[in-house]
Amino acid sequence: MRGLDRVVSKAGEHLARHLTRPDHQRLRPSTSSPERLAATLRRGDVLLVEGSSRISTAIKYLTQSTWSHAALCTRTPIDDAGKPTIGECLLEADVTAGVRRVPLNLYWHQHTRICRPVGLTDDEVDALVAHAEARLGHQYDLRNIVDLARYLIRMPPVPNRYRRRMLALGSGDPTRAICSSLIAQAFHSVSYPILPDIESLPSKDPDCLHCYQELLHIRHHSLFVPRDFDISPYFDIIKPTLSAGFDPHRLQWSETPP
């Protein structure tokens, strides 16, 4: 089995280099300026990225979503003077480089979305960031690359109930992270929900026979995908243009068509 694992890992490395080449023709432009994105992003936020590479196409197909990648903001990109900075403020699991720090300008010309957890204390944000940073240097689960590559040969009609499982076929080795699993683990470490399984149980209150109580069950981190942070009821969607004080009356419209 070890020999087979080496073959699969080696194949994954070659596939990773091929599949992560960006396709600039498919790149959707950012919907906010780099300055506004930097000024809006906060420590603990999750930044979703659409992506344009071949592997992004596979992830978006399997998850039926716009988003193919997720990164965690580990440092608010604002300097002491309140101006945006370019430094390494994001932590992500990259297919070829593994878990690493990257600057915001890597993504600020791409279509992105800020997902912000609500209600966390500063200590809890510190704890989830520390949990993610402890994984720096871990490698991407290259078995997932082999799995995803099958869906680039022909886009087969995979039933919805199986698509999420296609992204959970990795080695199970906790040192081999994928982007959304890495971030999901960090939030689970501070008991913050993303998309938990909800169990409804009859209330034990004798005065309320028709009442129910909800129990949340944490789903396994390998089953999370980037879109889950977008549709989660526990994350705010922050749009830099609106947070900067958008006024539609100040827009200048051309009377001639382009």
Side-chain angles (χ1 to χ4, degrees):
M1 287 299 294
R2 289 184 178 178
L4 179 60
D5 287 341
R6 284 196 294 269
V7 171
V8 172
S9 180
K10 208 67 177 176
E13 290 176 9
H14 287 293
L15 277 171
R17 286 194 290 270
H18 173 68
L19 297 178
T20 53
R21 291 173 185 166
D23 184 349
H24 295 289
Q25 293 182 342
R26 295 184 181 181
L27 193 62
R28 188 183 301 183
S30 172
T31 53
S32 63
S33 69
E35 294 77 17
R36 284 182 178 174
L37 179 62
T40 307
L41 198 62
R42 295 290 179 266
R43 193 166 187 256
D45 287 351
V46 178
L47 185 70
L48 303 182
V49 183
E50 179 170 358
S52 63
S53 65
R54 293 179 176 90
I55 193 171
S56 296
T57 300
I59 293 173
K60 287 187 285 188
Y61 167 75
L62 288 171
T63 62
Q64 293 294 282
S65 169
T66 298
W67 313 112
S68 65
H69 186 63
L72 178 68
C73 179
T74 58
R75 181 180 61 80
T76 298
I78 297 292
D79 61 21
D80 295 336
K83 296 183 179 179
T85 60
I86 299 178
E88 295 180 342
C89 64
L90 299 175
L91 185 144
E92 66 174 14
D94 178 72
V95 171
T96 54
V99 180
R100 62 177 184 172
R101 301 181 194 273
V102 294
L104 182 58
N105 63 356
L106 185 65
Y107 296 122
W108 68 19
H109 293 299
Q110 298 188 38
H111 184 39
T112 58
R113 172 160 291 171
I114 298 173
C115 302
R116 179 167 297 165
V118 175
L120 287 178
T121 66
D122 290 343
D123 288 342
E124 288 170 330
V125 172
D126 289 342
L128 80 88
V129 168
H131 188 280
E133 289 180 332
R135 274 73 186 162
L136 284 167
H138 289 185
Q139 294 302 304
Y140 198 98
D141 194 338
L142 293 176
R143 285 183 177 235
N144 288 78
I145 302 299
V146 177
D147 295 328
L148 288 171
R150 294 178 298 161
Y151 297 92
L152 294 172
I153 300 171
R154 299 185 203 90
M155 286 297 189
V158 180
N160 286 339
R161 64 182 181 276
Y162 296 130
R163 283 179 177 152
R164 186 179 294 270
R165 292 285 178 177
M166 294 299 101
L167 294 176
L169 297 177
S171 64
D173 183 345
T175 66
R176 301 177 73 82
I178 62 175
C179 65
S180 46
S181 295
L182 170 76
I183 299 173
Q185 281 183 300
F187 279 98
H188 286 168
S189 72
V190 295
S191 300
Y192 193 84
I194 303 169
L195 279 179
D197 290 325
I198 301 177
E199 180 183 10
S200 295
L201 298 175
S203 173
K204 296 180 181 179
D205 185 353
D207 297 326
C208 190
L209 298 179
H210 299 290
C211 295
Y212 287 84
Q213 67 179 71
E214 292 184 345
L215 290 180
L216 303 185
H217 297 277
I218 293 178
R219 291 161 51 203
H220 194 269
H221 61 267
S222 67
L223 297 178
F224 283 95
V225 296
R227 73 184 286 266
D228 291 337
F229 298 97
D230 185 14
I231 66 175
S232 170
Y234 310 107
F235 284 76
D236 262 344
I237 302 304
I238 309 298
K239 297 188 177 182
T241 299
L242 298 183
S243 64
F246 173 68
D247 183 356
H249 304 99
R250 299 179 64 182
L251 298 177
Q252 296 183 0
W253 296 89
S254 172
E255 296 181 359
T256 57

